[in-house]
Every structure is written in structure tokens, then in C-alpha cells.
């Protein structure tokens, strides 16, 4: 079990995963029959497939199609995958938390992509899963946004629900070696599973596909104004940082860039610009470059490029940007007609650069 506050990894063969998922499909895991508060596994996601099988809807039909493509591929002698997959829970202790207002790092490189997908154009990079605390979110239910789609394309990810306890604020889950089994298009009600997919991604020396995904869960804001507070900004920074932090054994020159986008900005109501800045700061402290996908949103892509250029040309460090964001939170609390975070920063950057 990957329990809270224990950094630990599990590596399994793809065949073992298929066996566990076959059991999940038939709902054979004992003790995993209730999510009642206080019950034995209340702090874990559900794993048996009963909710998927019993709620017939266009969404679950598309999901099951992908699940069947997966089982076909893993049970056919000719296509049976013969590699491994690693699931690693990474936890930071308070002594490893950055002190954001004091961080002197400059912004790393940022490349904004108007089109493209994290899982496709982000190949070879560390790919961000906009996760739920309970890994996989609504994958075994009606959910069909970024995380759930990824888990449906790569059903091996679903097995993480068997052993990954709810993520704490200082933790992430990294998955190395997952394979894509289905070709899909669309999301939510437009989601369609089109055909089986043959994944020809190379394998590493552990026979894992060169594919690394990191699950980080953003805060779900009931009221979007809640995000403009020091406590919540710090929480999101820490979460992004634990996800982005490289392996200390591997030199930064060999550490791939991060492929991400509007993390926690849909149903979770995050402000896309604030979330982009938070991820830029975490990436800077982790010394990694960012590829940011705006999924066709042209205005956002331009705003982001402009803000990034400004930060670079003013040599704004992580600590300086952090202090600007805290000032912005105060401004938010004192004014009725508030500026956007990017407008506030461009107007106040000069003030801060002369002060610091
Ligand atoms: C995990 O560690 C963090 C940081 O030390 C702490 O705040 C949190 O309470 C711990 N959680 C559990 C469940 O022990
Ligand atoms: C759940 O399963 C356990 C072990 O199989 C059993 O003891 C328990 O009574 C079951 N609980 C419910 C609510 O079905
Ligand atoms: C972080 O830095 C600030 C400013 O110097 C200081 O007041 C604070 O105690 C530091 N926090 C930690 C956790 O070290
Ligand atoms: C940030 O960039 C400035 C010059 O633009 C340089 O002097 C400084 O050393 C850099 N800081 C770090 C932590 O690399
Ligand atoms: C996925 O399916 C779509 C629609 O059927 C098709 O246009 C596309 O070429 C397919 N992609 C792959 C990688 O098979
Ligand atoms: C057959 C079985 O164990 N079904 C359970 C699957 O999980 C859900 C949610 O935990 C339970 O409600 C089912 O009883």
C-alpha cells in the first residue's frame, strides 16, 4: 500500500496489472465494498468496477469500449505487453519545503502551445495529470475530464486506485511506463473511444515505456475568491513543487521538461493565469522547463506569453513574484472591481523591483 507520508514505489509487470484489473472488473476485491467514513478503506479510491457497470450512459459505454480494447490487447498472445510499470508516491517533509518569499531562482524556459495535447505533443516530458486527491477521480463513474480520459486511454493507471491512499498536500504520485491502448477524441459528453491504439513508445532498461505521468491534485474552490490567499497559494505551490521536483540522482541537464496546462481550472475553479504562475514558480525552483498547453485558447496563450516575457525582461525571481502575488491578494480583498493577476503584475512589477 502506498500510504500517506511514506515515499515508496511499487513496480509490477503489465501482466500482473492486467490480472489485478480483471479482478477489479469482476469486483472480487474483498473489503473494498464501502466508502463510509471510518471504514477500513475510506481513505482510498474505489477499485471494483460496479459503478461503471451499473450506470449505463453514453459516457460509461465509451469508457467500457476502451476497457475492452485494453483487455483484448493484454490477452492476445501477439499483443500482450511484456514490460513493467512503476508507481511511486513522493512525499516532502517540512524541512524540504521551499521558503517561497526567499527563493532566488529565475524563471526557467516556458513554451506555450496553442494546440496539441499533453499526452501526444508532450511525449518524453513529465506529463501532468490534473488529478483528484483520490487518484483517478471519477474514472469508474461518470467523470470524463483530463484525468479520467488519461486513465481510460491507459487503463493500467486505474490499478493505482487499489493501493494509493488519498494524496496529502505534500505528496504526489508518479507513474512510469504506462501504455496507451485506445485512441480517443473529445471530452465529457463529446468523448469517444474510436479504436484500439498500438503504442510503439520505446522502453527503458527496466522495460518500462518512456512515459512518465505525475498526479497532482489542485484545490477545489467553492468560491473562486478563496484562491487569492497566502495559505492557498502556498498549498498549490507546494503541490506543484513536489510533483515537479526532479530525482536528485539525475543531473538537471538530463531531467525532461514538464508538459502541463490549466491545472485545476475547470470544475475546480482555479484562475488559469494564477495557476500558470504557480506552476512557473514551482518549475523554476525545481530547475525544469515548462511546456504549457492552452488547448486552443488563443487569448490565454497570448496573455501567458506576454506575462512571461515581462517577468523575464524584469528578471523577476520566484521570491519577488511570490511577494507580488501576496500583494495582489491584499489588493483583491480591498477592492471591488479587481484587476486580473497579469494586469496587476505588469503595473506593479516596477514598484517591487526598485524596492527589492
Ligand atoms: C504528513 O506530513 C505532513 C507534513 O509533515 C503533515 O502536515 C501531515 O499531517 C501528515 N499527514 C499524516 C496523515 O500523517
Ligand atoms: C465488506 O466486506 C467485508 C469482507 O469481505 C465484510 O466483512 C463486510 O461485512 C462487508 N461490508 C459491507 C458493508 O458489505
Ligand atoms: C521564510 O522566510 C521568512 C522571511 O525571511 C521568515 O520570516 C520565515 O520564518 C521563513 N520561514 C521558514 C519556514 O523558514
Ligand atoms: C538570475 O539571473 C541573474 C541575471 O539575470 C543572475 O545574476 C543570477 O545569478 C540568477 N540567479 C540564479 C539563482 O541563478
Ligand atoms: C484516432 O481516431 C481518429 C478518428 O477516428 C483518427 O482521425 C486518428 O487518426 C486516430 N489516431 C490514431 C493515432 O490512431
Ligand atoms: C461487489 C462489490 O464488492 N461491490 C462494491 C464495489 O464498491 C462499491 C463502492 O465501494 C460498493 O458499493 C459495492 O458494494
Amino acid at each position: 500500500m502506498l500510504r500517506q507520508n511514506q515515499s515508496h514505489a511499487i513496480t509490477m509487470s503489465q501482466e500482473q496489472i492486467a490480472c489485478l484489473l480483471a479482478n477489479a472488473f469482476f469486483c472480487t476485491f474483498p473489503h473494498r465494498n464501502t466508502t463510509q467514513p471510518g471504514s477500513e478503506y475510506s481513505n482510498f479510491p474505489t477499485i471494483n468496477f460496479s459503478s461503471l457497470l451499473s450506470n449505463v450512459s453514453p459516457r460509461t459505454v465509451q469508457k467500457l469500449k476502451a476497457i475492452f480494447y485494453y483487455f483484448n490487447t493484454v490477452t492476445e498472445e501477439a499483443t500482450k505487453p511484456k514490460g513493467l510499470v512503476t508507481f511511486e508516491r513522493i512525499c516532502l517533509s517540512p524541512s524540504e519545503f521551499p521558503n517561497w518569499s526567499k527563493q532566488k531562482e529565475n524563471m526557467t524556459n516556458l513554451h506555450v502551445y496553442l494546440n496539441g495535447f499533453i499526452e501526444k505533443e508532450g511525449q518524453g516530458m513529465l506529463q501532468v495529470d490534473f488529478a483528484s486527491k483520490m487518484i483517478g477521480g471519477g474514472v469508474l463513474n461518470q467523470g470524463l475530464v483530463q484525468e479520467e480520459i488519461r486513465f481510460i486511454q491507459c487503463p493500467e493507471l486505474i490499478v493505482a486506485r487499489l493501493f494509493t491512499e488519498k494524496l496529502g498536500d505534500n505528496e504526489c504520485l508518479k507513474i512510469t511506463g504506462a501504455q496507451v491502448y485506445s485512441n480517443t477524441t473529445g471530452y465529457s459528453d463529446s468523448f469517444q473511444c474510436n479504436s484500439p491504439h498500438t503504442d510503439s513508445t520505446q522502453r527503458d532498461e527496466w522495460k518500462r515505456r518512456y512515459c512518465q505521468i505525475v498526479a497532482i491534485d489542485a484545490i477545489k474552490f467553492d468560491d473562486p475568491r478563496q484562491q487569492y490567499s497566502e495559505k492557498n497559494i502556498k498549498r498549490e505551490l507546494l503541490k506543484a513543487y513536489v510533483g515537479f521536483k526532479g530525482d536528485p540522482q539525475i543531473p538537471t541537464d538530463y531531467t525532461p521538461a514538464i508538459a502541463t496546462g490549466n491545472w485545476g481550472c475547470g470544475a475546480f475553479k482555479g484562475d488559469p493565469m494564477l495557476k500558470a504562475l504557480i506552476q512557473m514558480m514551482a518549475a523554476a525552483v525545481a530547475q525544469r522547463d515548462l511546456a504549457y498547453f492552452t488547448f486552443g485558447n488563443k487569448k490565454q496563450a497570448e496573455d501567458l506569453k506576454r506575462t512571461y516575457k515581462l517577468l523575464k525582461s524584469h528578471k523577476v525571481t520566484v521570491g519577488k513574484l511570490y511577494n507580488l502575488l501576496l500583494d495582489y491578494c491584499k489588493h483583491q480583498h480591498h477592492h471591488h472591481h479587481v484587476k486580473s493577476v497579469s494586469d496587476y503584475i505588469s503595473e506593479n512589477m516596477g514598484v517591487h523591483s526598485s524596492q527589492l
Side-chain angles (χ1 to χ4, degrees):
M1 290 291 177
L2 299 180
R3 297 239 179 226
Q4 279 185 8
N5 280 340
Q6 297 175 15
S7 291
H8 188 66
I10 297 177
T11 297
M12 284 187 280
S13 70
Q14 289 177 291
E15 193 174 358
Q16 286 174 312
I17 293 173
C19 169
L20 293 171
L21 288 179
N23 278 277
F25 183 90
F26 289 116
C27 309
T28 59
F29 287 108
H31 300 262
R32 300 299 284 265
N33 49 7
T34 174
T35 52
Q36 289 294 308
S39 65
E40 197 179 353
Y41 288 97
S42 60
N43 230 14
F44 284 74
T46 61
I47 180 64
N48 74 53
F49 279 32
S50 54
S51 48
L52 192 58
L53 298 167
S54 60
N55 293 308
V56 181
S57 76
R59 291 186 181 199
T60 54
V61 168
Q62 293 303 317
K63 287 184 180 188
L64 283 169
K65 219 166 126 183
I67 297 293
F68 289 128
Y69 286 151
Y70 164 74
F71 281 121
N72 273 344
T73 306
V74 298
T75 52
E76 292 275 347
E77 203 48 49
T79 53
K80 208 164 91 178
K82 299 196 174 73
L84 305 182
V85 181
T86 298
F87 298 84
E88 183 179 16
R89 188 180 192 109
I90 301 169
C91 317
L92 288 186
S93 61
S95 65
E96 298 170 284
F97 294 0
N99 190 340
W100 296 100
S101 64
K102 286 183 158 174
Q103 296 299 140
K104 298 258 188 290
E105 292 84 359
N106 297 308
M107 295 299 143
T108 45
N109 296 312
L110 171 78
H111 192 99
V112 180
Y113 292 83
L114 172 58
N115 296 305
F117 296 95
I118 291 173
E119 66 270 21
K120 205 161 158 225
E121 280 71 17
Q123 249 186 38
M125 301 182 195
L126 174 64
Q127 304 177 351
V128 178
D129 162 14
F130 305 156
S132 149
K133 279 189 205 332
M134 294 288 198
I135 194 81
V139 64
L140 298 181
N141 236 300
Q142 303 292 320
L144 254 176
V145 287
Q146 197 245 10
E147 172 166 56
E148 288 96 356
I149 292 172
R150 194 72 205 256
F151 278 54
I152 287 297
Q153 294 169 336
C154 310
E156 285 157 347
L157 300 173
I158 297 174
V159 82
R161 294 171 67 85
L162 178 63
F163 48 72
T164 309
E165 193 174 10
K166 184 159 98 182
L167 294 175
D169 292 346
N170 56 326
E171 308 181 300
C172 70
L173 182 73
K174 226 177 238 179
I175 304 128
T176 308
Q179 180 168 329
V180 179
Y181 291 88
S182 293
N183 174 18
T184 74
T185 51
Y187 68 99
S188 298
D189 286 331
S190 69
F191 177 81
Q192 283 213 315
C193 176
N194 302 309
S195 61
H197 176 81
T198 307
D199 192 333
S200 47
T201 308
Q202 299 275 305
R203 295 182 184 276
D204 66 12
E205 66 275 23
W206 282 32
K207 293 194 288 174
R208 300 177 302 194
R209 299 262 181 212
Y210 276 108
C211 169
Q212 196 167 53
I213 298 170
V214 66
I216 49 173
D217 55 295
I219 305 179
K220 185 172 187 170
F221 297 108
D222 298 320
D223 177 347
R225 280 174 303 184
Q226 292 165 345
Q227 67 196 295
Y228 308 108
S229 74
E230 177 168 12
K231 177 168 165 282
N232 287 334
I233 288 177
K234 260 170 92 169
R235 189 277 181 196
E236 299 298 69
L237 279 168
L238 179 64
K239 177 62 75 166
Y241 176 69
V242 64
F244 296 175
K245 193 174 177 290
D247 181 340
Q249 315 275 332
I250 299 171
T252 43
D253 280 355
Y254 292 89
T255 303
I258 296 152
T260 191
N262 292 336
W263 173 47
C265 294
F268 282 24
K269 300 192 184 148
D271 170 341
M273 183 57 79
L274 179 60
K275 276 292 197 291
L277 293 170
I278 285 173
Q279 294 185 85
M280 278 158 58
M281 290 159 76
V285 177
Q287 292 293 294
R288 299 175 83 154
D289 296 335
L290 274 183
Y292 200 101
F293 293 85
T294 69
F295 304 116
N297 188 332
K298 207 165 169 181
K299 184 177 179 304
Q300 195 206 348
E302 276 159 14
D303 280 356
L304 195 52
K305 281 186 209 165
R306 184 168 354 98
T307 305
Y308 174 74
K309 224 184 241 170
L310 215 58
L311 294 172
K312 283 301 267 190
S313 63
H314 283 75
K315 302 189 165 59
V316 175
T317 60
V318 170
K320 195 187 282 187
L321 182 53
Y322 180 74
N323 290 325
L324 272 167
L325 290 179
L326 297 192
D327 289 349
Y328 177 66
C329 294
K330 285 188 205 122
H331 170 88
Q332 276 269 357
H333 289 296
H334 291 129
H335 295 78
H336 238 47
H337 294 287
V338 288
K339 290 183 175 51
S340 72
V341 62
S342 48
D343 285 350
Y344 184 85
I345 285 174
S346 59
E347 286 168 25
N348 292 274
M349 194 146 40
V351 181
H352 249 283
S353 38
S354 56
Q355 275 176 3
L356 291 174

